[in-house]
């Protein structure tokens, strides 16, 4: 699977989530699968970008880190 980085964009916010998924929509869905993840994604105005050249061996989408 491809690997995506979900990262906040508002000032003074740090960190990132790493997600294995087939596409960016699926990565966002995995990240937002909990109430906190959904709140965090919206509140911090996160972006979801593919990490080129990085793959994760799994059969199902998952939150890596």
């Amino acid at each position: 699977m491809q690997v995506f980085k979900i990262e906040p964009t508002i000032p003074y916010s740090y960190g990132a989530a790493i997600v294995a998924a087939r596409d960016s929509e699926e990565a966002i869905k995995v990240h937002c699968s909990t109430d906190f993840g959904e709140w965090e994604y919206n509140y911090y105005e996160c972006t979801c970008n593919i990490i080129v050249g990085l793959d994760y061996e799994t059969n199902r989408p998952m939150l890596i880190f």
Side-chain angles (χ1 to χ4, degrees):
M1 294 218 160
Q2 297 175 328
V3 178
F4 294 86
K5 178 171 71 170
I6 297 178
E7 185 174 41
T9 60
I10 64 172
Y12 306 108
S13 60
Y14 305 99
I18 306 298
V19 180
R22 291 176 191 88
D23 55 36
S24 61
E25 287 181 28
E26 189 172 54
I28 294 167
K29 183 178 176 184
V30 168
H31 180 71
C32 294
S33 63
T34 64
D35 289 338
F36 178 74
E38 185 174 5
W39 173 84
E40 182 179 48
Y41 188 85
N42 294 321
Y43 182 80
Y44 291 109
E45 300 173 12
C46 293
T47 60
C48 180
N49 297 302
I50 190 168
I51 301 174
V52 178
L54 187 60
D55 293 321
Y56 193 77
E57 291 187 35
T58 183
N59 292 330
R60 62 182 181 86
M62 63 186 337
L63 182 66
I64 300 171
F65 181 76

